[in-house]
Amino acid sequence: MLKNKNGIIFGVANKRSIAWATAQALHGAGARLAFTYQGERLKENVEGLTADSMPGSLLLSCDVTNQDEVDQTFKLVGKEFGRLDFLIHSIAFAPREALDGEYLDTSREAFLKALEISAYSLPQLARAAAPLMTDGGSIVCMSYYGAEKVVAGYNVMGVAKAALESSTRYLANDLGPRNIRVNAISAGPIQTLSARGVSDFSTMLKHHAARAPLRRNVAASEVGNTALFLCSSMSSGITGEVIYVDCGYNVMGV
Ligand code: NAP
Ligand code: 1JT
């Protein structure tokens, strides 16, 4: 489905990352991939994951708070790939203390950091990628239900995800004339590095599984497969959307 297509994936930290499940789906469909990791600390992880199964992948260091690194990343991708067909945005950050207690107490620093990394990075990366998407393209980001409803403890991340989902719509309008589509996946809770350390995350997983119509939690591979759909021509008429991959949790009332 993606033979001769090139993509870049932001946000592989380890094998549990949603970005890694997405990479496997995209690679399985024949795409050539570039990966970015944040700092040398994670380089070995990404190298270890890609070495066996995806030789020939491009690995680049890129912290989105450093504009020079972002510019350098896309310069190198342009040089190696020539054209870019899709971009996966699977990054988020908030200081730990902001995901505890009340949203009311969010500091200015925590708010700005969370929104810079988790939301501003989408238009930032889209702006850098668009000139390489000369044959149209697809941009996919990862959101969560806390963007639209209060999920106790998600706090400033919910506000950042609301900005991310709204950015998805504004970018879809800006980039549509260039045949670049922009969509968000709203994933159900998944036990990843980000989720680890969130107090009561396992209680949350149980709660979701009990209430979701499918009576289970979503697998990262299911999110990856939906990202594959959004990067393929099968979804050519879809842009500016938030697609739920949450076993139906979001449709429930009482
Ligand atoms: P993850 O494996 O921890 O991935 C998060 C990624 O964001 C990491 O690779 C992290 O790198 C990267 N990141 C943080 N700050 C960055 C920066 N300044 N520059 C570049 N990259 C940076 O966790 P995940 O659960 O797969 O999260 C991926 C996406 O899915 C996030 O947007 C998250 O909000 C979303 N999501 C997750 C869930 C869930 O339940 N897990 C549900 C819905 C949506 P470092 O490790 O180096 O910080
Ligand atoms: C971050 C973290 C982004 C956890 C995230 C995230 N997107 C989804 N999750 C999982 C999650 C987290 C909480 C939650 C529900 C789901 C950790 C810090 C980096 C950014 O609230 C009940 C807190």
Side-chain angles (χ1 to χ4, degrees):
M1 215 169 356
L2 295 182
K3 281 244 151 40
N4 302 317
K5 301 281 188 195
N6 304 314
I8 183 163
I9 303 186
F10 289 81
V12 176
N14 62 22
K15 67 173 187 205
R16 290 174 187 268
S17 295
I18 293 172
W20 178 242
T22 303
Q24 288 174 298
L26 295 165
H27 178 262
R32 178 165 60 158
L33 301 175
F35 293 88
T36 67
Y37 49 85
Q38 195 203 159
E40 294 304 307
R41 187 170 52 87
L42 287 173
K43 188 177 181 180
E44 277 173 32
N45 277 9
V46 184
E47 269 175 355
L49 285 171
T50 56
D52 296 333
S53 54
M54 303 178 194
S57 301
L58 197 57
L59 307 189
L60 305 162
S61 170
C62 184
D63 179 336
V64 294
T65 62
N66 184 332
Q67 187 59 45
D68 289 343
E69 286 188 26
V70 172
D71 293 341
Q72 189 60 19
T73 295
F74 284 92
K75 201 171 146 190
L76 284 168
V77 166
K79 211 169 112 195
E80 289 293 319
F81 286 180
R83 190 193 72 241
L84 200 59
D85 300 292
F86 58 85
L87 181 152
I88 307 295
H89 176 290
S90 189
I91 61 190
F93 175 80
R96 263 306 146 192
E97 70 274 12
L99 296 177
D100 225 8
E102 297 188 343
Y103 174 66
L104 184 67
D105 295 325
T106 309
S107 68
R108 181 188 305 266
E109 289 71 24
F111 185 98
L112 293 175
K113 214 25 144 207
L115 270 94
E116 179 187 16
I117 295 176
S118 315
Y120 178 71
S121 56
L122 184 66
Q124 177 189 22
L125 297 180
R127 189 162 59 246
L132 295 174
M133 293 182 164
T134 50
D135 194 23
S138 176
I139 297 173
V140 178
C141 64
M142 302 298 166
S143 192
Y144 175 64
Y145 188 62
E148 52 172 315
K149 291 284 190 288
V150 175
V151 175
Y154 201 57
N155 297 352
V156 73
M157 271 312 303
V159 175
K161 291 302 189 191
L164 186 75
E165 292 185 6
S166 186
S167 282
T168 298
R169 294 184 280 273
Y170 278 92
L171 291 170
N173 179 54
D174 288 345
L175 296 171
R178 294 188 235 176
N179 196 28
I180 299 172
R181 299 182 291 109
V182 188
N183 291 290
I185 293 174
S186 186
I190 298 173
Q191 192 68 263
T192 63
L193 191 62
S194 282
R196 201 176 305 153
V198 169
S199 55
D200 286 340
F201 195 77
S202 53
T203 310
M204 216 175 101
L205 285 172
K206 283 192 196 116
H207 167 92
H208 268 253
R211 282 172 179 68
L214 294 179
R215 298 290 190 278
R216 63 174 176 84
N217 286 307
V218 74
S221 60
E222 295 177 303
V223 178
N225 286 337
T226 304
L228 166 58
F229 164 69
L230 288 172
C231 290
S232 82
S233 61
M234 299 295 284
S235 62
S236 55
I238 302 177
T239 194
E241 281 303 328
V242 178
I243 297 190
Y244 291 85
V245 184
D246 66 348
C247 296
Y249 182 87
N250 78 96
V251 308
M252 297 304 291
V254 181

